[in-house]
Amino acid sequence: MIWHIYKKELIDCLRDRKTIIFSVLIPILLNVGIIFFADNMMASDQIDSMSVAVTKNSDASVIDWLKNDDNIKVIESKNPLSAVEQGKALAALKIPGNFSSEMRNMKSPEVTVYIDSSSMNSGATADYIQNILNKHREAIVTERLGQLNLNSQTIAPFNVVEKGVSKEDDGSLTMIAMFAPMIIIMGVLGGILPSANDIFAGEKERKTMEALLMSPVKRTQLLVGKWLTISTFGIISGLLSTLAFVLSVRYLTTVLNNALQLKGHFTTFIFSFLVSLTLLALLGAMVLCILSLLASSVKEAQSYTSQIMMVAILPYFLLMGKSVHELQPSGFLIPIYNVFALMKQLLYGVYDMQSLAYTIGSLSVCTIVLFTIGYTMFTKSRWVLGKG
């Protein structure tokens, strides 16, 4: 009987074009757009043209330093600060007119860089300019030390070099680990939303729930059939989002393609991924079932579920700045959070069976508890039939 209810609800949902559009097509298009954004952000190491405003009477030596760099565009202006405020330049330089003479006299003239603090491009341009000035400053220091017959190592007793732990880490894998969990999990949640709002709240609003309850079918079977229908859309949407993500990275990107390598432990990866995705869909579907039972109309159900989506995406921001080696075992006992954490581990090639066991256990227990709550509500007419 559960199979017949599940099949009937599935067919009814598939007949609704809105369900297919909002559950499948729109999430896929958004995912592809995010992939293009991430790839373009990784591909562009710097701004194409960094415009710097200077006064016309600025010292020629500093201007030459800037003009010798192909990425810098020098703009002469009567008021460089105004040029930055009006968006004509990304940064402005205030250079003393006697800069070269003070340098020759062993003085320390001051060069001021002005930026628009609300612009990331302006900040990046300022950093780039400071790197250029620092290189020339170091060259001058080395020259002066040579004139004094001193080695440059006299004022630099040691050097500090920063390197990544991974041998071939150029940031691409970090970018994939940042976007992939969000794309996949939001695909699951986006798939269950339209069907969940309509299957319970929609039937109450259309007054068709009474006729359904009068049929010779147990309420447990009705609840399970509807719950599995909602979960199915979440699983399908999650899988399609994953497929769209992998294909987009493989065939439509240049930088991210080299970082996505799933050759080692492929079976373990697929098993862990499918299990966590399925359990997430079952858990999310039951949460939305309960919210849909609380609502008397589709509009009211949508207002409830919109808040849940905000809560569901919170773990993504909590994990954004964490390395896979910083994840604690206790974190995998927190539902939703553990799915984000597990997917991050899998993408970095970390296969921890304890993390997988904790994730499966916590999601299963939470789903059972929520199913008990949902079943209790479904046996009460006040929740099933709605207000009035």
Side-chain angles (χ1 to χ4, degrees):
M1 183 58 69
I2 293 178
W3 167 252
H4 292 291
I5 297 171
Y6 169 74
K7 184 179 179 181
K8 177 257 182 190
E9 295 289 351
L10 199 61
I11 294 174
D12 289 343
C13 290
L14 290 174
R15 287 173 180 169
D16 187 3
R17 292 183 179 179
K18 294 181 180 178
T19 301
I20 299 176
I21 292 174
F22 286 100
S23 300
V24 180
L25 296 181
I26 290 181
I28 290 177
L29 293 176
L30 290 175
N31 295 342
V32 174
I34 292 174
I35 295 302
F36 275 118
F37 168 76
D39 187 65
N40 291 332
M41 189 163 58
M42 290 296 299
S44 57
D45 294 332
Q46 57 195 19
I47 308 169
D48 293 336
S49 179
M50 302 183 185
S51 52
V52 182
V54 297
T55 55
K56 294 183 179 180
N57 60 345
S58 297
D59 186 87
S61 59
V62 179
I63 302 301
D64 290 339
W65 293 346
L66 298 177
K67 287 184 176 180
N68 289 334
D69 193 292
D70 296 334
N71 296 313
I72 297 294
K73 178 182 178 182
V74 178
I75 300 175
E76 294 185 352
S77 173
K78 294 181 180 179
N79 190 345
L81 298 183
S82 178
V84 176
E85 292 174 351
Q86 296 175 4
K88 296 179 181 179
L90 292 174
L93 275 185
K94 182 181 178 181
I95 309 168
N98 58 346
F99 179 87
S100 296
S101 61
E102 289 193 358
M103 289 283 293
R104 286 192 296 268
N105 294 326
M106 297 296 177
K107 295 183 179 180
S108 299
E110 185 177 88
V111 178
T112 307
V113 184
Y114 295 93
I115 65 170
D116 182 0
S117 58
S118 62
S119 171
M120 293 181 63
N121 289 338
S122 182
T125 301
D127 292 338
Y128 194 84
I129 293 172
Q130 290 186 40
N131 288 334
I132 295 175
L133 297 178
N134 288 336
K135 289 179 181 178
H136 287 278
R137 179 174 58 188
E138 292 173 1
I140 293 173
V141 170
T142 303
E143 181 182 352
R144 288 179 178 180
L145 291 174
Q147 294 173 356
L148 298 173
N149 295 323
L150 294 175
N151 194 312
S152 60
Q153 294 179 352
T154 304
I155 60 172
F158 64 89
N159 296 319
V160 179
V161 180
E162 180 180 344
K163 292 184 178 182
V165 176
S166 301
K167 296 181 179 179
E168 299 179 355
D169 185 12
D170 62 350
S172 301
L173 184 57
T174 302
M175 190 64 65
I176 287 180
M178 181 185 299
F179 285 103
M182 181 187 66
I183 289 174
I184 296 169
I185 293 176
M186 292 308 295
V188 174
L189 298 178
I192 63 181
L193 271 174
S195 54
N197 290 334
D198 186 71
I199 279 182
F200 288 102
E203 291 208 18
K204 285 194 284 185
E205 187 175 9
R206 294 189 298 269
K207 305 297 182 182
T208 57
M209 185 65 79
E210 293 90 337
L212 187 62
L213 294 176
M214 292 175 63
S215 61
V217 181
K218 295 180 180 180
R219 293 199 179 191
T220 307
Q221 296 173 335
L222 287 173
L223 177 62
V224 172
K226 291 176 177 291
W227 173 41
L228 292 179
T229 300
I230 300 170
S231 303
T232 299
F233 278 101
I235 295 171
I236 293 174
S237 180
L239 291 176
L240 290 177
S241 296
T242 305
L243 183 63
F245 171 79
V246 174
L247 293 179
S248 299
V249 170
R250 284 296 186 194
Y251 301 106
L252 301 179
T253 65
T254 54
V255 179
L256 299 181
N257 182 29
N258 296 328
L260 186 61
Q261 301 294 335
L262 305 176
K263 296 179 181 179
H265 301 87
F266 185 74
T267 304
T268 306
F269 180 91
I270 293 298
F271 173 77
S272 303
F273 173 78
L274 291 178
V275 170
S276 60
L277 188 73
T278 302
L279 290 175
L280 175 66
L282 290 171
L283 175 62
M286 184 48 62
V287 172
L288 295 184
C289 285
I290 294 174
L291 294 176
S292 189
L293 285 170
L294 289 172
S296 299
S297 62
V298 175
K299 185 177 181 180
E300 184 180 352
Q302 290 173 345
S303 64
Y304 294 155
T305 54
S306 61
Q307 306 302 321
I308 293 298
M309 292 293 287
M310 295 177 62
V311 175
I313 200 64
L314 181 61
Y316 169 75
F317 296 102
L318 296 177
L319 284 167
M320 185 178 293
K322 282 193 174 183
S323 165
V324 290
H325 305 291
E326 296 177 313
L327 299 176
Q328 299 297 324
S330 57
F332 290 90
L333 296 174
I334 305 174
I336 308 294
Y337 179 93
N338 51 17
V339 180
F340 280 99
L342 183 64
M343 288 191 177
K344 191 166 188 175
Q345 278 191 342
L346 294 176
L347 288 170
Y348 273 98
V350 178
Y351 302 96
D352 186 1
M353 292 298 104
Q354 183 183 14
S355 300
L356 178 61
Y358 281 2
T359 301
I360 294 174
S362 63
L363 291 177
S364 301
V365 170
C366 192
T367 302
I368 293 172
V369 172
L370 290 175
F371 180 83
T372 303
I373 297 174
Y375 173 74
T376 303
M377 294 178 63
F378 200 67
T379 57
K380 307 292 183 181
S381 297
R382 56 176 296 192
W383 302 118
V384 179
L385 301 179
K387 300 178 182 178

